[in-house]
Amino acid sequence: MADIVIGSGPSGIAAVKARLALGRAVILLDGGKTLEPEHAAPRDALAGTVPAAWEASDVARYKAGQYNASPGQIRKFSSDFAMEPAAVTFAEAGPVALRASRAVGGLSNLWGTAVLPYAARDMAGWPITAQDLAPHYRAVLGFLPVSARRDALADLLPDGLPEAPSLLTPSPQAQVLLARAVTRADKLAAQGLRIGAARQAVRDDCRHCGMCLHGCPTGAMWSAADTLRDMLGDPRLDHRPGQIVRAIGETDTGVEVHLSDGRRVTGDRVFLAAGVLETARILLASNGFDADSLTLRESQHGFLPALQIRPNRRRPDRLPHHTLPQMFVEMSDEAISPHLVHGQVYTWNDFYARDLGQTYGAKLPFIAPVWPVLARRLIVTQLFLHSDHCARITLRRAADGRLQAQVRLPEDTHARLQSAGRKLARGLRYLGLAGLPFATRLGAPGSSFHVGASLPMSEIPDARRSDRLGRPAGASRLHVVDASVLPAIAATTITLPVMANAYRIATEAPA
Ligand SMILES: Cc1cc2nc3c(=O)[nH]c(=O)nc-3n(C[C@H](O)[C@H](O)[C@H](O)COP(=O)(O)OP(=O)(O)OC[C@H]3O[C@@H](n4cnc5c(N)ncnc54)[C@H](O)[C@@H]3O)c2cc1C
């Protein structure tokens, strides 16, 4: 018999890779959605021509799909294939901005590609250490392209860094800021700030066409679907797209996966990687899973705007450039958090002027021409806090099989974020930026998508805690491998540690 992996997002693909490396046969089930042909065609047309030859009208049409997304939906390629609407997952409309995916490749069709490992200090008290994960980060780097450089972040976050790193050319604004971060490194360090180049899961043939937030035409931004495509030639991998899992059961000799159409798939062992919402839904519907609720924890985020005091010599809105995060900031300050606070710095992108106009346009219609000029000086940092300080989202099974969500938000989350914003604003002065900390806003619960820890790995597993192989108490062949099993959600990015941990569990689980 074969192993079963549920989900072809980053965690599922890491588990598939590890099981194939052990010589196991794998049945891979997922929701099966892919980009529709009518949306793939404009993408392929842009990919087939150099950006300098693109027609302005084609570019405008390509971007319009994202500008017109429904509230709460995040899109790329003008398509909603990669993100399920809230009503598919939740029985009642509520305050949770987190969404599930039933796509091949999952939410990695939409992600921002920012990749960092978890710092050893943020894993204190876990049943696994940073050292346990280190070889699995290396295994993941065997199929995940990472753009990076060895800089001020390297000794704090050494894992997940390629042996011979090379960096995507930063945007013109980021080049200036990164150069200042190097010359002012001591002053920043004295304030508990380390600033280095962002690390992104992007291939080095990126064309710097500025379409990162709309859908990369050439597929240089990694998606788990890319690695799946590369593995499909392996006769031991049986990919079965469009098979929606409802529940899982263990038998004396194996596992049974129950599909929503009533069919069953059997195997030796199952690795559950359906993304934290769908994983909770499947577990809560499974006989033998004792808990009637699961509580997700989030690394919540907020945005700190800042303005360049002197404009760039080169206009930031002219190509070539990319619009992914350009720099990472790691903040250490016990008064704000015993854990790292993480920041991702974005320079110019085409959403800035639109967002400024939409937020302030009605109040200040006479200065409409100013927004594009202001947008060219705007630098925005997305700040993340450790989950110890953030929202808890409790999930229960509704009568119709969907989820009911209840949110609890600690009283001091916003205050901590504002303290972090004020501290960062002081540091950003060294880079020639005037931060606007009074404008720092906390994102809605779930909106960071850095969410998990609903079945945390523990030395003593029970109905709501798994062992170090992702098994809730009583399970021996069911391994949860997505972010559900992280003991907490650190502020640094979530997906790379989830992939390394999924690879570790799938390697250490009996063959
Ligand atoms: C806009 C956006 C930006 C992001 N940016 C970043 C970033 O820069 N850095 C970062 O670290 N993280 C980022 N994330 C988060 C990142 O995308 C997720 O952490 C990651 O995709 C989770 O991977 P996963 O494999 O656990 O789940 P998913 O990616 O959600 O994949 C779930 C898989 O399970 C399948 N599935 C779901 N339900 C079922 C079912 N019932 N039956 C069968 N199959 C099922 C789906 O088809 C899919 O293949 C971002 C997310 C979003 C939305």
Side-chain angles (χ1 to χ4, degrees), residues 359-370:
T359 310
Y360 305 107
K363 289 179 207 145
L364 305 165
F366 45 91
I367 61 165
V370 171

Side-chain angles (χ1 to χ4, degrees), residues 254-277:
V255 288
E256 285 182 346
V257 170
H258 302 272
L259 303 180
S260 59
D261 61 9
R263 285 180 298 160
R264 239 169 18 122
V265 182
T266 55
D268 282 327
R269 203 163 275 284
V270 61
F271 297 88
L272 180 54
V276 294
L277 289 173

Side-chain angles (χ1 to χ4, degrees), residues 33 47 126 227 232 274 312 346 449 469 478:
K33 292 189 178 175
W126 289 24
T227 301
L232 283 178
N312 247 59
Y346 291 81
F449 282 81
L469 294 182
L478 158 64

Side-chain angles (χ1 to χ4, degrees), residues 27 189 199 252 271 304 310 394 431 439 448 465 494:
I27 299 168
R199 301 183 197 167
D252 289 343
F271 297 88
L304 168 74
R310 290 216 188 105
T394 297
L431 308 189
S448 73
R465 284 183 294 188
I494 187 169

Side-chain angles (χ1 to χ4, degrees), residues 6-13 28-33 74-76 82-83 99-116 224 242-246 259 272-276 278-279 281-282 325 344 346 382 384 447-451 481-484 492-499:
I6 301 169
S8 60
S11 58
I13 285 304
L28 172 62
L29 311 174
D30 66 27
K33 292 189 178 175
I74 301 169
R75 275 181 164 186
K76 281 190 174 170
M83 183 172 277
R99 298 285 178 269
S101 175
R102 287 187 177 170
V104 177
L107 292 173
S108 68
N109 290 285
L110 297 174
W111 74 324
T113 71
V115 278
L116 277 179
Q243 306 215 343
I244 300 295
V245 175
R246 192 183 54 76
L259 303 180
L272 180 54
V276 294
E278 284 286 299
T279 286
R281 206 175 62 80
I282 292 167
Q344 301 184 3
Y346 291 81
Q382 185 179 19
F384 292 86
S447 62
S448 73
F449 282 81
H450 291 198
V451 182
V481 298
D482 60 22
S484 312
T492 44
T493 68
I494 187 169
T495 303
L496 183 60
V498 166
M499 292 174 75

Side-chain angles (χ1 to χ4, degrees), residues 298-320:
E298 178 180 15
S299 160
Q300 272 184 280
H301 69 156
F303 294 91
L304 168 74
L307 289 171
Q308 275 184 305
I309 295 165
R310 290 216 188 105
N312 247 59
R313 253 192 243 138
R314 206 187 107 194
R315 279 222 0 207
D317 52 346
R318 302 261 158 87
L319 291 177

Side-chain angles (χ1 to χ4, degrees), residues 180-210:
R180 287 186 189 143
V182 171
T183 54
R184 309 289 158 89
D186 290 346
K187 291 210 157 63
L188 290 165
Q191 298 208 5
L193 295 171
R194 293 187 194 218
I195 299 185
R199 301 183 197 167
Q200 305 100 345
V202 176
R203 287 199 318 257
D204 57 8
D205 61 351
C206 159
R207 298 200 303 190
H208 292 80
C209 70

